[in-house]
Amino acid sequence: GINAEYGGFDNSGGASNRDWQLYAPGGLAYLDTLIRNWAVKYNIAVMVSIHAAKGSQNGQDHSAPPDPKKSYWSQYPENINNTIDVAEFLAKRYKNDNAFLGLGMLNEPGLTTDEAKLKQYYIDTYQRVRTHSDCILAHMPFLWQQFAPHYETFTPPPNFINVWHEWHKYLLWGFEQQDENGIRGVARGQLTNEMKNWKGNWLFTGEWSLSTTAKFNNEADLKAFAKEYMAALNNGHSGWTYWSWKVSGDENGRNTWSLRQMLRKGIMSVKSRKREISQGGKLIDMLSKKF
């Protein structure tokens, strides 16, 4: 599957009435093409992540903040309401498209984001979207809450259906002192245990990468690490998506941020399997192809 990033915006209210000018025009046409043409052609499911909410939910560059390193999303009701509107718009637009899997309701909230308002946003978005679609809706905690018991009892079935919980499980930030043996031990131990111990909504790893500060000069060792890393993540029911599919210039050298290159080099392999993806029993066929 593909986890596609999307930034929603308008030109009224909130932190600034000029926030929308930060975005390149025409992005929706590419999202249409991805979901309605490319994904259908290659039998790929698309999970759309709201990466850049109005006002910025984390102040990081990938959320397009109006002021770098500052977040205003939860400080203005207009920002939250706009993000709900964006989620509803996307769910309505793609509800009948076979390749559309669902929405990541907010990517990596943090900084000054108010947690009570964040949780209420997830509930309000769920209720709004459910008037149109039963698509997957994934909620995400703060990065420092990505382990049990945070959110384990939030939005449980049967009152909430087709809700996933999303983590981003990089073994890079916070693991800078680990050598090859150390980081492999984290994958086999800490990460595996965190995934297995989760008891809440079905768990989805929306981002991860083989990039670490460990060198892995021997590709056989990197391949072994990849196998251990994926084995840990596969304990999450709803699977994972890699950051990212490709990187400019990945035809040469080695870049562990490029899934395409990792597949081509044989560092990683992904087997075809069918997986139940919703509490309604829908199946998706995740097929390996030659890239």
Side-chain angles (χ1 to χ4, degrees), residues 20-46:
W20 61 274
Q21 296 176 352
L22 294 169
Y23 297 89
L28 187 60
Y30 284 97
L31 193 59
D32 284 348
T33 301
L34 169 63
I35 292 173
R36 293 171 174 168
N37 297 325
W38 298 337
V40 174
K41 179 179 179 180
Y42 293 104
N43 194 26
I44 293 173
V46 180

PDB file of all heavy atoms in Angstrom, residues 20-46:
ATOM      1  N   TRP A  20      -2.759  29.284   3.283  1.00  0.00           N
ATOM      2  CA  TRP A  20      -2.980  28.502   2.062  1.00  0.00           C
ATOM      3  C   TRP A  20      -1.932  28.802   1.001  1.00  0.00           C
ATOM      4  O   TRP A  20      -1.669  27.983   0.125  1.00  0.00           O
ATOM      5  CB  TRP A  20      -4.373  28.785   1.506  1.00  0.00           C
ATOM      6  CG  TRP A  20      -4.600  30.224   1.128  1.00  0.00           C
ATOM      7  CD1 TRP A  20      -5.013  31.230   1.959  1.00  0.00           C
ATOM      8  CD2 TRP A  20      -4.406  30.816  -0.150  1.00  0.00           C
ATOM      9  NE1 TRP A  20      -5.095  32.421   1.277  1.00  0.00           N
ATOM     10  CE2 TRP A  20      -4.731  32.194  -0.032  1.00  0.00           C
ATOM     11  CE3 TRP A  20      -4.010  30.324  -1.395  1.00  0.00           C
ATOM     12  CZ2 TRP A  20      -4.648  33.074  -1.100  1.00  0.00           C
ATOM     13  CZ3 TRP A  20      -3.932  31.207  -2.458  1.00  0.00           C
ATOM     14  CH2 TRP A  20      -4.256  32.561  -2.308  1.00  0.00           C
ATOM     15  N   GLN A  21      -1.286  29.966   1.069  1.00  0.00           N
ATOM     16  CA  GLN A  21      -0.312  30.341   0.052  1.00  0.00           C
ATOM     17  C   GLN A  21       0.973  29.524   0.147  1.00  0.00           C
ATOM     18  O   GLN A  21       1.809  29.567  -0.756  1.00  0.00           O
ATOM     19  CB  GLN A  21       0.008  31.835   0.164  1.00  0.00           C
ATOM     20  CG  GLN A  21      -1.191  32.729  -0.132  1.00  0.00           C
ATOM     21  CD  GLN A  21      -0.894  34.206   0.071  1.00  0.00           C
ATOM     22  OE1 GLN A  21       0.174  34.579   0.574  1.00  0.00           O
ATOM     23  NE2 GLN A  21      -1.830  35.055  -0.307  1.00  0.00           N
ATOM     24  N   LEU A  22       1.134  28.777   1.255  1.00  0.00           N
ATOM     25  CA  LEU A  22       2.326  27.941   1.415  1.00  0.00           C
ATOM     26  C   LEU A  22       2.290  26.716   0.510  1.00  0.00           C
ATOM     27  O   LEU A  22       3.311  26.077   0.289  1.00  0.00           O
ATOM     28  CB  LEU A  22       2.464  27.481   2.865  1.00  0.00           C
ATOM     29  CG  LEU A  22       2.751  28.558   3.909  1.00  0.00           C
ATOM     30  CD1 LEU A  22       2.600  27.990   5.307  1.00  0.00           C
ATOM     31  CD2 LEU A  22       4.150  29.135   3.725  1.00  0.00           C
ATOM     32  N   TYR A  23       1.122  26.373  -0.013  1.00  0.00           N
ATOM     33  CA  TYR A  23       0.958  25.117  -0.738  1.00  0.00           C
ATOM     34  C   TYR A  23       1.013  25.338  -2.247  1.00  0.00           C
ATOM     35  O   TYR A  23       0.507  26.328  -2.767  1.00  0.00           O
ATOM     36  CB  TYR A  23      -0.376  24.471  -0.375  1.00  0.00           C
ATOM     37  CG  TYR A  23      -0.481  24.102   1.087  1.00  0.00           C
ATOM     38  CD1 TYR A  23      -0.976  25.021   2.011  1.00  0.00           C
ATOM     39  CD2 TYR A  23      -0.073  22.860   1.541  1.00  0.00           C
ATOM     40  CE1 TYR A  23      -1.071  24.688   3.353  1.00  0.00           C
ATOM     41  CE2 TYR A  23      -0.167  22.519   2.874  1.00  0.00           C
ATOM     42  CZ  TYR A  23      -0.666  23.446   3.775  1.00  0.00           C
ATOM     43  OH  TYR A  23      -0.753  23.115   5.098  1.00  0.00           O
ATOM     44  N   ALA A  24       1.615  24.369  -2.921  1.00  0.00           N
ATOM     45  CA  ALA A  24       1.642  24.406  -4.384  1.00  0.00           C
ATOM     46  C   ALA A  24       0.264  24.070  -4.919  1.00  0.00           C
ATOM     47  O   ALA A  24      -0.384  23.143  -4.431  1.00  0.00           O
ATOM     48  CB  ALA A  24       2.673  23.422  -4.922  1.00  0.00           C
ATOM     49  N   PRO A  25      -0.211  24.800  -5.927  1.00  0.00           N
ATOM     50  CA  PRO A  25      -1.540  24.502  -6.480  1.00  0.00           C
ATOM     51  C   PRO A  25      -1.528  23.214  -7.313  1.00  0.00           C
ATOM     52  O   PRO A  25      -0.487  22.771  -7.787  1.00  0.00           O
ATOM     53  CB  PRO A  25      -1.826  25.724  -7.362  1.00  0.00           C
ATOM     54  CG  PRO A  25      -0.468  26.215  -7.764  1.00  0.00           C
ATOM     55  CD  PRO A  25       0.429  25.945  -6.588  1.00  0.00           C
ATOM     56  N   GLY A  26      -2.692  22.626  -7.472  1.00  0.00           N
ATOM     57  CA  GLY A  26      -2.819  21.475  -8.354  1.00  0.00           C
ATOM     58  C   GLY A  26      -2.569  20.130  -7.721  1.00  0.00           C
ATOM     59  O   GLY A  26      -2.583  19.105  -8.402  1.00  0.00           O
ATOM     60  N   GLY A  27      -2.324  20.087  -6.400  1.00  0.00           N
ATOM     61  CA  GLY A  27      -2.002  18.815  -5.755  1.00  0.00           C
ATOM     62  C   GLY A  27      -3.141  17.808  -5.786  1.00  0.00           C
ATOM     63  O   GLY A  27      -2.912  16.600  -5.848  1.00  0.00           O
ATOM     64  N   LEU A  28      -4.376  18.293  -5.749  1.00  0.00           N
ATOM     65  CA  LEU A  28      -5.517  17.380  -5.726  1.00  0.00           C
ATOM     66  C   LEU A  28      -5.593  16.545  -6.997  1.00  0.00           C
ATOM     67  O   LEU A  28      -5.987  15.374  -6.949  1.00  0.00           O
ATOM     68  CB  LEU A  28      -6.811  18.173  -5.538  1.00  0.00           C
ATOM     69  CG  LEU A  28      -8.072  17.346  -5.323  1.00  0.00           C
ATOM     70  CD1 LEU A  28      -7.951  16.467  -4.083  1.00  0.00           C
ATOM     71  CD2 LEU A  28      -9.293  18.261  -5.210  1.00  0.00           C
ATOM     72  N   ALA A  29      -5.197  17.117  -8.123  1.00  0.00           N
ATOM     73  CA  ALA A  29      -5.227  16.363  -9.386  1.00  0.00           C
ATOM     74  C   ALA A  29      -4.280  15.169  -9.325  1.00  0.00           C
ATOM     75  O   ALA A  29      -4.585  14.086  -9.855  1.00  0.00           O
ATOM     76  CB  ALA A  29      -4.857  17.275 -10.551  1.00  0.00           C
ATOM     77  N   TYR A  30      -3.130  15.341  -8.658  1.00  0.00           N
ATOM     78  CA  TYR A  30      -2.198  14.223  -8.518  1.00  0.00           C
ATOM     79  C   TYR A  30      -2.760  13.152  -7.589  1.00  0.00           C
ATOM     80  O   TYR A  30      -2.577  11.946  -7.814  1.00  0.00           O
ATOM     81  CB  TYR A  30      -0.853  14.719  -7.996  1.00  0.00           C
ATOM     82  CG  TYR A  30      -0.029  15.425  -9.031  1.00  0.00           C
ATOM     83  CD1 TYR A  30      -0.022  16.813  -9.123  1.00  0.00           C
ATOM     84  CD2 TYR A  30       0.741  14.701  -9.939  1.00  0.00           C
ATOM     85  CE1 TYR A  30       0.738  17.472 -10.090  1.00  0.00           C
ATOM     86  CE2 TYR A  30       1.501  15.337 -10.902  1.00  0.00           C
ATOM     87  CZ  TYR A  30       1.494  16.720 -10.976  1.00  0.00           C
ATOM     88  OH  TYR A  30       2.237  17.356 -11.931  1.00  0.00           O
ATOM     89  N   LEU A  31      -3.449  13.572  -6.531  1.00  0.00           N
ATOM     90  CA  LEU A  31      -4.057  12.598  -5.635  1.00  0.00           C
ATOM     91  C   LEU A  31      -5.153  11.823  -6.359  1.00  0.00           C
ATOM     92  O   LEU A  31      -5.280  10.600  -6.193  1.00  0.00           O
ATOM     93  CB  LEU A  31      -4.624  13.307  -4.407  1.00  0.00           C
ATOM     94  CG  LEU A  31      -5.026  12.420  -3.226  1.00  0.00           C
ATOM     95  CD1 LEU A  31      -3.839  11.609  -2.720  1.00  0.00           C
ATOM     96  CD2 LEU A  31      -5.618  13.261  -2.101  1.00  0.00           C
ATOM     97  N   ASP A  32      -5.934  12.510  -7.182  1.00  0.00           N
ATOM     98  CA  ASP A  32      -6.942  11.831  -8.014  1.00  0.00           C
ATOM     99  C   ASP A  32      -6.293  10.780  -8.905  1.00  0.00           C
ATOM    100  O   ASP A  32      -6.772   9.645  -9.020  1.00  0.00           O
ATOM    101  CB  ASP A  32      -7.672  12.837  -8.898  1.00  0.00           C
ATOM    102  CG  ASP A  32      -8.701  13.662  -8.142  1.00  0.00           C
ATOM    103  OD1 ASP A  32      -9.026  13.317  -6.993  1.00  0.00           O
ATOM    104  OD2 ASP A  32      -9.180  14.658  -8.718  1.00  0.00           O
ATOM    105  N   THR A  33      -5.193  11.161  -9.549  1.00  0.00           N
ATOM    106  CA  THR A  33      -4.513  10.245 -10.462  1.00  0.00           C
ATOM    107  C   THR A  33      -3.964   9.036  -9.717  1.00  0.00           C
ATOM    108  O   THR A  33      -4.058   7.893 -10.190  1.00  0.00           O
ATOM    109  CB  THR A  33      -3.384  10.974 -11.202  1.00  0.00           C
ATOM    110  OG1 THR A  33      -3.936  12.070 -11.936  1.00  0.00           O
ATOM    111  CG2 THR A  33      -2.660  10.047 -12.163  1.00  0.00           C
ATOM    112  N   LEU A  34      -3.390   9.286  -8.536  1.00  0.00           N
ATOM    113  CA  LEU A  34      -2.862   8.189  -7.727  1.00  0.00           C
ATOM    114  C   LEU A  34      -3.950   7.189  -7.372  1.00  0.00           C
ATOM    115  O   LEU A  34      -3.791   5.971  -7.580  1.00  0.00           O
ATOM    116  CB  LEU A  34      -2.236   8.747  -6.451  1.00  0.00           C
ATOM    117  CG  LEU A  34      -1.865   7.721  -5.372  1.00  0.00           C
ATOM    118  CD1 LEU A  34      -0.806   6.758  -5.876  1.00  0.00           C
ATOM    119  CD2 LEU A  34      -1.409   8.423  -4.104  1.00  0.00           C
ATOM    120  N   ILE A  35      -5.058   7.674  -6.843  1.00  0.00           N
ATOM    121  CA  ILE A  35      -6.101   6.793  -6.333  1.00  0.00           C
ATOM    122  C   ILE A  35      -6.908   6.151  -7.455  1.00  0.00           C
ATOM    123  O   ILE A  35      -7.262   4.965  -7.379  1.00  0.00           O
ATOM    124  CB  ILE A  35      -7.019   7.572  -5.365  1.00  0.00           C
ATOM    125  CG1 ILE A  35      -6.231   7.932  -4.093  1.00  0.00           C
ATOM    126  CG2 ILE A  35      -8.276   6.773  -5.021  1.00  0.00           C
ATOM    127  CD1 ILE A  35      -6.968   8.844  -3.139  1.00  0.00           C
ATOM    128  N   ARG A  36      -7.165   6.897  -8.518  1.00  0.00           N
ATOM    129  CA  ARG A  36      -8.095   6.420  -9.549  1.00  0.00           C
ATOM    130  C   ARG A  36      -7.411   5.764 -10.746  1.00  0.00           C
ATOM    131  O   ARG A  36      -8.080   5.043 -11.493  1.00  0.00           O
ATOM    132  CB  ARG A  36      -8.970   7.591 -10.007  1.00  0.00           C
ATOM    133  CG  ARG A  36      -9.892   8.056  -8.895  1.00  0.00           C
ATOM    134  CD  ARG A  36     -10.631   9.332  -9.207  1.00  0.00           C
ATOM    135  NE  ARG A  36     -11.605   9.612  -8.141  1.00  0.00           N
ATOM    136  CZ  ARG A  36     -12.243  10.771  -7.998  1.00  0.00           C
ATOM    137  NH1 ARG A  36     -12.018  11.758  -8.852  1.00  0.00           N
ATOM    138  NH2 ARG A  36     -13.101  10.943  -7.013  1.00  0.00           N
ATOM    139  N   ASN A  37      -6.110   5.986 -10.890  1.00  0.00           N
ATOM    140  CA  ASN A  37      -5.410   5.401 -12.035  1.00  0.00           C
ATOM    141  C   ASN A  37      -4.236   4.523 -11.605  1.00  0.00           C
ATOM    142  O   ASN A  37      -4.260   3.314 -11.784  1.00  0.00           O
ATOM    143  CB  ASN A  37      -4.940   6.508 -12.986  1.00  0.00           C
ATOM    144  CG  ASN A  37      -6.096   7.282 -13.590  1.00  0.00           C
ATOM    145  OD1 ASN A  37      -7.149   6.725 -13.865  1.00  0.00           O
ATOM    146  ND2 ASN A  37      -5.916   8.574 -13.788  1.00  0.00           N
ATOM    147  N   TRP A  38      -3.212   5.135 -11.039  1.00  0.00           N
ATOM    148  CA  TRP A  38      -1.993   4.391 -10.726  1.00  0.00           C
ATOM    149  C   TRP A  38      -2.246   3.254  -9.737  1.00  0.00           C
ATOM    150  O   TRP A  38      -1.791   2.131  -9.938  1.00  0.00           O
ATOM    151  CB  TRP A  38      -0.926   5.336 -10.179  1.00  0.00           C
ATOM    152  CG  TRP A  38      -0.496   6.404 -11.135  1.00  0.00           C
ATOM    153  CD1 TRP A  38      -0.591   6.372 -12.495  1.00  0.00           C
ATOM    154  CD2 TRP A  38       0.085   7.659 -10.788  1.00  0.00           C
ATOM    155  NE1 TRP A  38      -0.099   7.543 -13.033  1.00  0.00           N
ATOM    156  CE2 TRP A  38       0.329   8.350 -12.009  1.00  0.00           C
ATOM    157  CE3 TRP A  38       0.435   8.274  -9.597  1.00  0.00           C
ATOM    158  CZ2 TRP A  38       0.896   9.619 -12.049  1.00  0.00           C
ATOM    159  CZ3 TRP A  38       1.002   9.540  -9.624  1.00  0.00           C
ATOM    160  CH2 TRP A  38       1.233  10.199 -10.842  1.00  0.00           C
ATOM    161  N   ALA A  39      -2.940   3.541  -8.647  1.00  0.00           N
ATOM    162  CA  ALA A  39      -3.168   2.516  -7.624  1.00  0.00           C
ATOM    163  C   ALA A  39      -4.005   1.365  -8.155  1.00  0.00           C
ATOM    164  O   ALA A  39      -3.764   0.200  -7.824  1.00  0.00           O
ATOM    165  CB  ALA A  39      -3.840   3.141  -6.405  1.00  0.00           C
ATOM    166  N   VAL A  40      -4.982   1.670  -8.991  1.00  0.00           N
ATOM    167  CA  VAL A  40      -5.807   0.619  -9.590  1.00  0.00           C
ATOM    168  C   VAL A  40      -4.968  -0.235 -10.530  1.00  0.00           C
ATOM    169  O   VAL A  40      -5.042  -1.475 -10.521  1.00  0.00           O
ATOM    170  CB  VAL A  40      -7.005   1.243 -10.338  1.00  0.00           C
ATOM    171  CG1 VAL A  40      -7.776   0.171 -11.092  1.00  0.00           C
ATOM    172  CG2 VAL A  40      -7.920   1.981  -9.363  1.00  0.00           C
ATOM    173  N   LYS A  41      -4.135   0.415 -11.326  1.00  0.00           N
ATOM    174  CA  LYS A  41      -3.304  -0.302 -12.286  1.00  0.00           C
ATOM    175  C   LYS A  41      -2.369  -1.283 -11.597  1.00  0.00           C
ATOM    176  O   LYS A  41      -2.172  -2.420 -12.068  1.00  0.00           O
ATOM    177  CB  LYS A  41      -2.493   0.694 -13.123  1.00  0.00           C
ATOM    178  CG  LYS A  41      -1.580   0.043 -14.151  1.00  0.00           C
ATOM    179  CD  LYS A  41      -0.832   1.103 -14.954  1.00  0.00           C
ATOM    180  CE  LYS A  41       0.112   0.462 -15.977  1.00  0.00           C
ATOM    181  NZ  LYS A  41       0.836   1.489 -16.768  1.00  0.00           N
ATOM    182  N   TYR A  42      -1.787  -0.872 -10.471  1.00  0.00           N
ATOM    183  CA  TYR A  42      -0.784  -1.698  -9.808  1.00  0.00           C
ATOM    184  C   TYR A  42      -1.322  -2.420  -8.561  1.00  0.00           C
ATOM    185  O   TYR A  42      -0.535  -2.987  -7.799  1.00  0.00           O
ATOM    186  CB  TYR A  42       0.430  -0.835  -9.440  1.00  0.00           C
ATOM    187  CG  TYR A  42       1.166  -0.344 -10.659  1.00  0.00           C
ATOM    188  CD1 TYR A  42       1.037   0.974 -11.092  1.00  0.00           C
ATOM    189  CD2 TYR A  42       1.961  -1.211 -11.415  1.00  0.00           C
ATOM    190  CE1 TYR A  42       1.703   1.428 -12.222  1.00  0.00           C
ATOM    191  CE2 TYR A  42       2.625  -0.769 -12.548  1.00  0.00           C
ATOM    192  CZ  TYR A  42       2.492   0.548 -12.949  1.00  0.00           C
ATOM    193  OH  TYR A  42       3.146   0.999 -14.079  1.00  0.00           O
ATOM    194  N   ASN A  43      -2.641  -2.394  -8.365  1.00  0.00           N
ATOM    195  CA  ASN A  43      -3.263  -3.117  -7.250  1.00  0.00           C
ATOM    196  C   ASN A  43      -2.679  -2.702  -5.899  1.00  0.00           C
ATOM    197  O   ASN A  43      -2.228  -3.517  -5.099  1.00  0.00           O
ATOM    198  CB  ASN A  43      -3.111  -4.627  -7.446  1.00  0.00           C
ATOM    199  CG  ASN A  43      -4.019  -5.414  -6.513  1.00  0.00           C
ATOM    200  OD1 ASN A  43      -5.053  -4.926  -6.089  1.00  0.00           O
ATOM    201  ND2 ASN A  43      -3.614  -6.628  -6.184  1.00  0.00           N
ATOM    202  N   ILE A  44      -2.701  -1.390  -5.658  1.00  0.00           N
ATOM    203  CA  ILE A  44      -2.148  -0.820  -4.435  1.00  0.00           C
ATOM    204  C   ILE A  44      -3.243  -0.065  -3.686  1.00  0.00           C
ATOM    205  O   ILE A  44      -4.028   0.662  -4.288  1.00  0.00           O
ATOM    206  CB  ILE A  44      -0.978   0.147  -4.754  1.00  0.00           C
ATOM    207  CG1 ILE A  44       0.201  -0.638  -5.335  1.00  0.00           C
ATOM    208  CG2 ILE A  44      -0.538   0.907  -3.508  1.00  0.00           C
ATOM    209  CD1 ILE A  44       1.317   0.237  -5.831  1.00  0.00           C
ATOM    210  N   ALA A  45      -3.300  -0.247  -2.391  1.00  0.00           N
ATOM    211  CA  ALA A  45      -4.244   0.498  -1.558  1.00  0.00           C
ATOM    212  C   ALA A  45      -3.608   1.809  -1.114  1.00  0.00           C
ATOM    213  O   ALA A  45      -2.405   1.868  -0.844  1.00  0.00           O
ATOM    214  CB  ALA A  45      -4.635  -0.326  -0.336  1.00  0.00           C
ATOM    215  N   VAL A  46      -4.405   2.854  -1.029  1.00  0.00           N
ATOM    216  CA  VAL A  46      -3.903   4.187  -0.677  1.00  0.00           C
ATOM    217  C   VAL A  46      -4.518   4.650   0.639  1.00  0.00           C
ATOM    218  O   VAL A  46      -5.738   4.737   0.781  1.00  0.00           O
ATOM    219  CB  VAL A  46      -4.225   5.220  -1.774  1.00  0.00           C
ATOM    220  CG1 VAL A  46      -3.703   6.592  -1.374  1.00  0.00           C
ATOM    221  CG2 VAL A  46      -3.624   4.791  -3.109  1.00  0.00           C
TER     222      VAL A  46
END
